[in-house]
């Protein structure tokens, strides 16, 4: 893992297009009900992969398996960084150490902290000062803090949240909280960024901003992004590839155009609406 | 809200005490602490020393409960570990008081971490019950391990001396305990400026998100128990050396509840809250007992029920506080500060 700080937000060592995450025959049961059934999926370095599907399809469960919050009954998840890591049974904090960062469908910020402290807590895995020096807060600890404070300031600029730095996140609007949560994930210098419905519940202007940030992060910093989103307009616009889940199974995968024309996908969504973008009827 | 203060560099921005008002308040506090022992009589010195010990214990408990969100009813037990470790090492093995105090801190940290193990599985009320068990187990050991602790009999500790000066006179102990209070305060404030403190707060606010950010819940919860208990052990050890006598009655469940009340009334998750709570909970009984004496003089007939009235008042004041200002004394203090910060333009 790179120890020296560079200006980039991306900590991956792979070349664009190399396989970064490999999911193999994943099965996840909740008391006899399969939330995920035989899911196989590959994520390539520096792509934006969207995961779509109706409510309850298993999208969040899949992300939870990747970040170690759920442990699948069957299957294997392998992560490629400088070396190969089998992470099916790792703890969440170990997976975080590998550079996998995420945001949550229902905002899970540290509510009583300021925006700044939320972002700084995202830097946790990169901070090294020992307990004693921390309590002394002299020299080493102070220098480390300043270094990370500078770094976090870049994220604040990127996400255009300068004005709310010192505010407690609990007092912010929903849209801003979503933005801060993405910032906190970015503060991990992710090699892989998982976003669970980053635009849900936003107005169209906020959505546009968010889409722009996601593209920035991907294009300028090369961060691989796996994104769950219900807004088909956004999904078709920004993703390189799309995987479609339905009742825990992967029913389609490909470029936006391929997915749009895939008869199985259309079939799965026919029950809801008949338009070419029917994939999301409810929020 | 602060307005009109702008920091141009991160270094300035992060300076520990960064407004004039804060500097002035700190200066006033330091002058007061330096002058106080020369003006106060023995009674007030005793109170100041009790408050000092309580502040250290309350900061310790606040780190665990207020900052990390792990409820503990084991405070009395952990203080007992500190007091008995320090007392036994000095009384039976002749260790200097400062050395036994230091060892007591580490021993209590270890015991605290061990009793923190259930926190990995239990939350909220369930954890409260588990720590209550810690309290009971520790007191049971203290009262039954006669050969070492002396059982229910008092453990007499020799007077602490430094360069031939007796340290537990009220005047001398004052300097010792308040120097330590300041040390503990700075270390704890600093802790919450670094990854450790942020990890604790993260665990309190949203433990799942914390783990996904790379916080090892196992390690950091135990660490919170250990650091908290380290300070609590210090408070216990200081009690032993100050009183020169250690008895188990001083560390019952009442103490655990008292300290919880301190940090709730003072302000959870705030260092100033620990101060205010410790001051309030130490002074209130003193004020009530003085009032009782006055009332006794005026109405000699009610003498018998005065202790009950005192206890009821104690409870009543606490309940009133919780109803009127659920965020504790710290919030009231903050409101006062905000008023004066904007003064004379406040309205
Ligand atoms: N912790 C859990 N315990 C029991 N069942 C669960 C749990 N988490 C998810 N499920 C079930 O697994 C299935 C998939 O849920 P999941 O949250 O992954 O869907 P989703 O695709 O993210 O849906 P949405 O679009 O509504 O967010 C659902 O039937 C859900 O009830
Ligand atoms: Mg979901």
């Amino acid at each position: 893992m790179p120890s020296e700080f560079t200006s980039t937000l991306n900590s991956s060592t792979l070349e664009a297009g190399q396989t970064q995450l490999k999911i193999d025959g994943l099965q996840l049961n909740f008391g006899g009900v399969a939330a995920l059934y035989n899911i196989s999926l590959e994520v390539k370095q520096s792509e934006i992969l969207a995961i779509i599907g109706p409510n309850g399809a298993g999208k969040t469960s899949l992300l939870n398996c990747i970040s170690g919050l759920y442990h699948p009954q069957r299957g294997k998840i392998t992560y490629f960084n400088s070396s190969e890591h089998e992470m099916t049974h790792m703890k969440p904090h170990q997976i975080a150490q590998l550079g996998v960062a995420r945001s949550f469908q229902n905002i899970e910020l540290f509510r009583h902290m300021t925006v700044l402290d939320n972002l700084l807590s995202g830097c946790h895995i990169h901070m090294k000062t020992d307990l004693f020096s921390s309590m002394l807060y002299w020299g080493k600890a102070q220098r480390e803090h300043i270094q990370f404070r500078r770094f976090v300031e870049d994220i604040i600029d990127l996400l255009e949240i300068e004005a709310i730095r010192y505010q407690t996140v609990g007092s912010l609007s929903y849209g801003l909280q979503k933005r801060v949560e993405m910032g906190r994930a970015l503060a991990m210098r992710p090699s892989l960024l998982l976003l669970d419905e980053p635009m849900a519940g936003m107005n169209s202007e906020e959505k546009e901003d968010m889409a722009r940030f996601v593209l920035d992060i991907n294009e300028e910093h090369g961060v691989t992004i796996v994104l769950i989103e219900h807004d088909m307009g956004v999904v078709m616009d920004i993703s390189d590839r799309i995987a479609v889940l339905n009742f825990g199974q992967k029913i389609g995968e490909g470029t936006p155009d391929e997915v749009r024309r895939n008869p199985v996908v259309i079939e799965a969504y026919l029950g809801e609406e008949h338009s070419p973008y029917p994939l999301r009827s409810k929020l | 809200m602060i307005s009109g203060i702008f920091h141009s560099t991160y270094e300035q921005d992060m300076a520990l005490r960064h407004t004039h008002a804060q500097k002035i308040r700190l200066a006033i506090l330091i002058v007061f602490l330096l002058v106080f022992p020369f003006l106060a009589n023995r009674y007030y010195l005793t109170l100041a020393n009790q408050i000092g010990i309580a502040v250290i214990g309350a900061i310790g408990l606040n780190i665990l409960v207020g900052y990390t969100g792990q409820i503990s009813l084991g405070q009395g037990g952990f203080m007992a570990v500190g007091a008995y470790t320090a007392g036994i090492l000095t009384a039976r093995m002749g260790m200097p008081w400062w050395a036994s105090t230091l060892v007591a801190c580490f021993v209590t940290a270890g015991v605290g971490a061990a009793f923190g193990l259930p926190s990995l599985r239990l939350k909220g009320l369930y954890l409260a019950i588990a720590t209550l068990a810690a309290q009971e187990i520790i007191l049971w050991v203290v009262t039954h391990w006669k050969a070492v602790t002396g059982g229910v009999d008092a453990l007499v500790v020799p007077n602490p001396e430094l360069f031939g000066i007796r340290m537990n006179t009220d005047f001398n102990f004052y300097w010792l305990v308040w120097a330590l209070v300041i040390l503990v305060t700075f270390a704890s404030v600093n802790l919450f400026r670094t990854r450790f403190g942020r990890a604790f707060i993260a665990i309190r606010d949203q433990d799942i998100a914390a783990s996904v950010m790379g916080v090892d819940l196992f390690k950091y919860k135990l660490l919170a128990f250990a650091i908290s208990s380290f300070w609590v052990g210090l408070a216990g050890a200081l009690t032993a050396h100050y009183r020169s006598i250690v008895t188990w009655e001083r560390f019952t469940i009442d103490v655990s509840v008292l300290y919880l009340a301190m940090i709730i009334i003072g302000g959870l998750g705030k260092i100033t809250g620990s101060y205010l709570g410790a001051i309030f909970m130490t002074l209130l009984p003193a004020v009530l007992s003085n009032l009782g004496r006055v009332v006794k003089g005026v109405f000699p007939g009610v003498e018998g029920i005065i202790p009950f009235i005192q206890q009821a008042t104690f409870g009543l004041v606490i309940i009133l506080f919780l109803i009127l200002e659920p965020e504790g004394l710290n919030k009231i203090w903050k409101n006062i500060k905000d008023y004066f910060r904007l003064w004379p333009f406040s309205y």
Side-chain angles (χ1 to χ4, degrees):
Chain A
M1 199 165 289
S3 61
E4 201 43 53
F5 227 75
T6 57
S7 64
T8 172
L9 292 175
N10 186 353
S11 65
S12 180
T13 52
L14 301 180
E15 301 285 325
Q18 283 184 297
T19 300
Q20 193 175 20
L21 182 75
K22 198 164 164 219
I23 298 170
D24 226 354
L26 212 61
Q27 168 129 8
L28 176 74
N29 300 323
F30 288 110
V33 183
L36 294 174
Y37 184 77
N38 198 21
I39 301 274
S40 295
L41 189 67
E42 281 197 18
V43 182
K44 310 268 186 221
Q45 174 67 50
S46 300
E47 72 171 343
I48 297 183
L49 172 73
I51 299 174
I52 62 171
N55 293 111
K59 306 181 294 296
T60 300
S61 299
L62 181 58
L63 283 207
N64 285 349
C65 286
I66 298 173
S67 50
L69 295 174
Y70 291 169
H71 294 289
Q73 276 77 17
R74 222 178 297 152
K76 203 170 133 182
I77 305 175
T78 320
Y79 190 70
F80 301 88
N81 206 332
S82 38
S83 59
E84 188 181 320
H85 305 271
E86 146 101 63
M87 60 181 207
T88 325
H89 300 290
M90 282 190 184
K91 296 234 173 77
H93 74 266
Q94 295 167 320
I95 291 170
Q97 297 278 353
L98 296 177
V100 181
R102 74 172 285 178
S103 71
F104 294 85
Q105 183 169 354
N106 309 305
I107 301 167
E108 312 276 16
L109 283 166
F110 308 127
R111 300 200 60 222
H112 299 91
M113 287 188 198
T114 61
V115 169
L116 202 55
D117 278 330
N118 266 280
L119 296 181
L120 283 170
S121 51
C123 302
H124 182 85
I125 54 169
H126 298 292
M127 294 182 167
K128 297 282 175 270
T129 311
D130 60 287
L131 182 61
F132 185 73
S133 311
S134 295
M135 286 183 153
L136 219 55
Y137 200 70
W138 198 261
K140 200 165 42 158
Q142 213 164 4
R143 275 197 302 278
E144 181 178 74
H145 192 122
I146 290 164
Q147 174 196 1
F148 281 96
R149 180 59 208 277
R150 289 226 167 85
F151 167 64
V152 158
E153 214 49 45
D154 291 343
I155 295 173
I156 290 176
D157 283 347
L158 179 81
L159 298 180
E160 298 163 13
I161 46 178
E162 294 90 345
I164 55 166
R165 266 195 204 97
Y166 301 110
Q167 284 187 37
T168 309
V169 293
S171 66
L172 298 175
S173 73
Y174 183 82
L176 280 176
Q177 290 196 21
K178 281 259 168 197
R179 210 185 277 192
V180 174
E181 203 189 16
M182 188 162 81
R184 185 182 64 180
L186 278 180
M188 288 173 72
R189 298 179 67 222
S191 45
L192 172 64
L193 181 59
L194 313 171
L195 301 172
D196 197 344
E197 306 200 12
M199 294 144 204
M202 290 185 166
N203 62 36
S204 57
E205 196 184 327
E206 288 173 323
K207 270 187 193 173
E208 225 167 82
D209 282 341
M210 205 63 173
R212 186 160 52 82
F213 296 138
V214 170
L215 282 173
D216 267 3
I217 295 162
N218 175 255
E219 284 168 6
E220 299 196 0
H221 300 275
V223 177
T224 317
I225 294 173
V226 174
L227 164 103
I228 298 176
E229 187 48 56
H230 281 300
D231 186 315
M232 279 310 122
V234 173
V235 168
M236 294 294 167
D237 257 8
I238 68 172
S239 37
D240 299 311
R241 286 192 311 130
I242 299 175
V244 190
L245 295 191
N246 196 19
F247 292 114
Q249 282 176 294
K250 189 175 83 176
I251 58 166
E253 185 182 350
T255 63
D257 273 335
E258 286 166 2
V259 165
R260 201 180 315 196
R261 285 195 303 265
N262 184 332
V264 185
V265 175
I266 296 170
E267 173 72 19
Y269 281 91
L270 267 180
E272 301 201 352
E273 260 174 64
H274 291 271
S275 77
Y277 295 140
L279 301 164
R280 177 68 184 147
S281 55
K282 296 158 274 180
L283 193 72
Chain B
M1 184 142 310
I2 305 172
S3 59
I5 299 171
F6 184 74
H7 306 286
S8 50
T9 70
Y10 308 134
E11 288 84 344
Q12 268 176 330
D13 182 50
M14 289 181 301
L16 190 48
R17 305 213 154 251
H18 54 168
T19 66
H20 270 299
Q22 273 174 326
K23 274 189 191 137
I24 292 168
R25 275 201 305 276
L26 192 66
I28 292 175
L29 180 71
I30 288 172
V31 169
F32 176 79
L33 284 177
L34 290 175
V35 173
F36 176 82
F38 298 103
L39 307 176
N41 61 22
R42 234 192 109 208
Y43 175 69
Y44 287 108
L45 272 175
T46 311
L47 280 179
N49 292 342
Q50 283 173 4
I51 290 173
I53 292 174
V55 169
I56 294 173
I59 289 177
L61 186 64
N62 221 338
I63 288 175
L64 186 61
V65 180
Y67 283 99
T68 318
Q70 310 297 304
I71 297 183
S72 168
L73 278 169
Q75 177 86 357
F78 296 142
M79 280 183 89
V81 173
Y84 273 93
T85 308
I88 290 164
L89 288 176
T90 296
R92 301 214 200 287
M93 304 172 85
M95 198 183 263
W97 62 272
W98 51 268
S100 71
T101 300
L102 195 62
V103 174
C105 292
F106 281 102
V107 169
T108 315
V111 172
F115 280 109
L117 281 170
S119 71
L120 307 170
R121 282 294 164 84
L122 304 177
K123 284 185 185 180
L125 287 177
Y126 297 93
L127 181 60
I129 299 302
T131 54
L132 179 62
Q135 164 78 36
E136 296 305 326
I137 290 168
I138 291 170
L139 269 210
W140 190 88
V141 170
V142 161
T143 48
H144 288 77
W145 198 13
K146 257 207 155 73
V148 175
T149 62
V152 292
D153 299 330
L155 175 73
V156 179
V157 187
N159 285 326
E161 284 190 6
L162 193 65
F163 308 122
I165 302 164
R166 199 182 132 195
M167 291 305 292
N168 65 345
T169 64
D170 286 306
F171 185 81
N172 290 348
F173 190 79
Y174 174 90
W175 299 105
L176 175 67
V177 74
W178 281 95
L180 287 172
V181 167
I182 288 166
L183 185 87
V184 170
T185 305
F186 270 89
S188 304
V189 168
N190 287 340
L191 185 70
F192 289 98
R193 302 157 60 72
T194 65
R195 69 177 160 129
F196 295 99
R198 272 193 299 272
F200 292 163
I201 300 175
I203 290 173
R204 176 196 72 194
D205 276 7
Q206 188 59 67
D207 56 350
I208 288 173
S211 71
V212 170
M213 308 309 298
V215 174
D216 183 347
L217 297 182
F218 183 85
K219 179 175 151 191
Y220 278 86
K221 278 185 183 176
L222 291 194
L223 196 61
F225 267 92
I227 296 173
S228 161
S229 305
F230 193 92
W231 295 150
V232 174
L234 177 60
L238 288 172
T239 314
H241 289 303
Y242 180 43
R243 308 261 176 203
S244 285
I245 198 164
V246 186
T247 60
W248 66 276
E249 288 112 324
R250 242 172 222 299
F251 306 106
T252 56
I253 178 75
D254 295 10
V255 176
S256 301
V257 175
L258 180 78
Y259 272 86
L260 266 184
M262 253 182 225
I263 60 170
I264 292 171
I265 286 178
L268 286 170
K270 299 279 183 298
I271 299 288
T272 13
S274 294
Y275 272 79
L276 297 170
I279 294 169
F280 185 80
M281 295 300 266
T282 312
L283 290 187
L284 185 60
V287 169
L288 288 176
S289 85
N290 285 336
L291 275 181
R293 222 164 286 138
V294 174
V295 173
K296 211 184 291 183
V298 184
F299 309 102
V302 297
E303 208 165 314
I305 57 165
I306 279 177
F308 300 109
I309 295 177
Q310 277 170 356
Q311 286 204 343
T313 317
F314 192 60
L316 191 68
V317 171
I318 291 169
I319 291 169
L320 277 178
F321 248 112
L322 293 180
I323 293 171
L324 297 176
E325 189 48 80
E327 286 182 57
L329 288 166
N330 186 62
K331 186 70 193 300
I332 296 173
W333 169 234
K334 195 167 168 290
N335 292 344
I336 296 172
K337 278 192 308 191
D338 287 346
Y339 178 82
F340 280 106
R341 179 164 312 146
L342 300 173
W343 190 83
F345 304 108
S346 50
Y347 44 87

